[in-house]
Amino acid sequence: MDHQWTAHFIAGEWEHEADERPPIPVENPATEQVIASVPAGGAAHVHRAVVAARGAFSSWSTRTIEERAQVLDGLADLLEERRELIARTVTEELGAPIKLARQLHATLPVHDVRETARALRSMEFETELGNSRVYAVPVGVVGAITPWNYPVHQVVSKIVPAIAAGCTVVLKPSEVAPLSALLLARIMQEAGLPDGVLNVVNGAGPEVGQAIVEHPGIDAVSFTGSEATGRAVAQQAALTLKRVTLELGGKSANVILDDADLATAVKVGVANCFLNSGQSCNALTRMLVPRELLSSAAEIATAAAARYAPGDPADERTRIGPLASARQRDSVIRAIETGLADGAKLIAGGPERPAGDALTSGYYVRPTIFTDVDPDSFLAQEEIFGPVLAIIGYGDEEEAVAIANNSRFGLGGAVWSADAERARTVARRIHTGQVDINGGAFNPAAPFGGVKNSGYGRELGSAGIEEFLHRQSLQF
Ligand code: NDP
């Protein structure tokens, strides 16, 4: 594949020049081969990107809503047209199975952009309130720092609402999977986004990420990643009083009530947990089952797990690929070992390398399920970010809700019941930003984000645009 856009993107120019830092290699996690490299940027690149973004702000922020929405329409069309190239790029850099890359990684961003354009057109940017006229005003230059797990969607869900709001952006994509973000920048340029509205600086978090957070010319930071880094970002951003949005993952509970269709709920729950090799911030990693149904649930889950044999992501039949990096693989294996050491009952997978002749290289782990997991244990409390499911038994509905809320995170969740009204009542008691009822699908127009240590602020749709607006009131 042609990775010609492996450069910084500043003020509409692609900058290949290396500085004193060595370029950052990008690995294919299925083969462990280096497939490209990106130049490592530093504070000087961030500064130039901020200057470009500041320069572009005055004209971009004064474009009409319809003009900005039309740029988004054009972007969505181009993204749709380039779906195959985007999917292949994500498969190469992330190890996502090609089918999943097409259906999810390359398709969801098209919906994200279309929904943002729709939301933009529906929002009121000017209202009358007594003797005031209140204007919604873009916050200015936005710094976006993104992870590798959904390398296009995570970028789109920050930069597109920011741009829709009239802001300009300095983006630092993950150094683990930067290629699709750079391809996206190229597509945005083709879609007619004016120079300087989006700038991309490649590099390491502690250098480029931190320089973004510290820069006084950046007005707001939107970050997705780990809890620890998110906390550091918020602390650092406080020094320049930047507005901050944090999306920091979770430990979401899948509450299966006693009247639910157990087979469907467990199978869908397993599929959700293993999606994207378990590398989803809102993955349903805790499955809560009535104690008397634990052994039936375990049986269904084991059978479901058997259908997730790790395989070559380029193969159309593969449902689960490797993890994104050696570091991620090692950390997931350590988590599985901790679960075993804590005495949790293993019913699928384990810490050993998966079998299979084709898997002699690559950062593969076995899709793993533990049952009878203690709700206070490591397996039930920590975000593992790999295909590891913890099944937990509960006595009654009260206890199910208590266990669901026994987490320092609060991003997602699910409830299953034959009675949708009962499910809704339980869902409303779960302290998270989102809850899916009876397999309700992801909605790219609905506010997405967390509470507690999952962060604050919302992405997607009109809530995502709001994140990048402030209000100015004029009194008459
Ligand atoms: P990080 O939080 O370290 O990385 C997320 C982004 O932040 C990356 O772009 C990273 O840069 C950048 N970054 C790192 N350090 C700083 C800093 N000091 N200042 C500013 N930006 C910084 O996550 P990891 O990739 O290390 O993943 C570790 C764990 O995080 C996972 O196992 C998972 O539990 C969780 N995670 C959660 C995600 C979510 O969706 N909420 C997504 C990804 C991970 P760099 O390119 O150098 O990595």
Side-chain angles (χ1 to χ4, degrees), residues 128-211:
E128 297 288 332
L129 188 64
N131 66 321
S132 301
R133 185 164 292 162
V134 182
Y135 295 87
V137 181
V139 293
V141 177
V142 171
I145 302 173
T146 53
W148 39 263
N149 58 334
Y150 288 90
V152 189
H153 165 73
Q154 302 274 28
V155 172
V156 164
S157 58
K158 294 188 184 318
I159 70 176
V160 172
I163 287 168
C167 295
T168 56
V169 176
V170 177
L171 165 71
K172 189 207 94 65
S174 162
E175 60 181 315
V176 175
L179 304 180
S180 51
L182 294 166
L183 177 60
L184 172 70
R186 170 68 191 143
I187 293 172
M188 291 182 88
Q189 189 180 29
E190 264 183 70
L193 194 71
D195 294 350
V197 174
L198 170 66
N199 305 274
V200 187
V201 180
N202 301 289
E207 284 149 16
V208 174
Q210 192 163 333

Side-chain angles (χ1 to χ4, degrees), residues 24 144-150 154 172-177 203-213 223-230 232-233 236 247-250 279-282 325 327-328 331-332 382-386 411 448 454:
I24 299 170
I145 302 173
T146 53
W148 39 263
N149 58 334
Y150 288 90
Q154 302 274 28
K172 189 207 94 65
S174 162
E175 60 181 315
V176 175
E207 284 149 16
V208 174
Q210 192 163 333
I212 287 175
V213 179
F223 171 87
T224 297
S226 65
E227 192 189 353
T229 306
V233 163
Q236 198 67 42
E247 202 273 85
L248 309 178
Q279 303 165 126
S280 304
C281 45
N282 56 349
S325 64
R327 191 178 143 215
Q328 197 60 27
S331 120
V332 171
E382 297 304 318
E383 181 176 55
I384 295 169
F385 230 61
L411 185 60
F448 184 89
S454 292

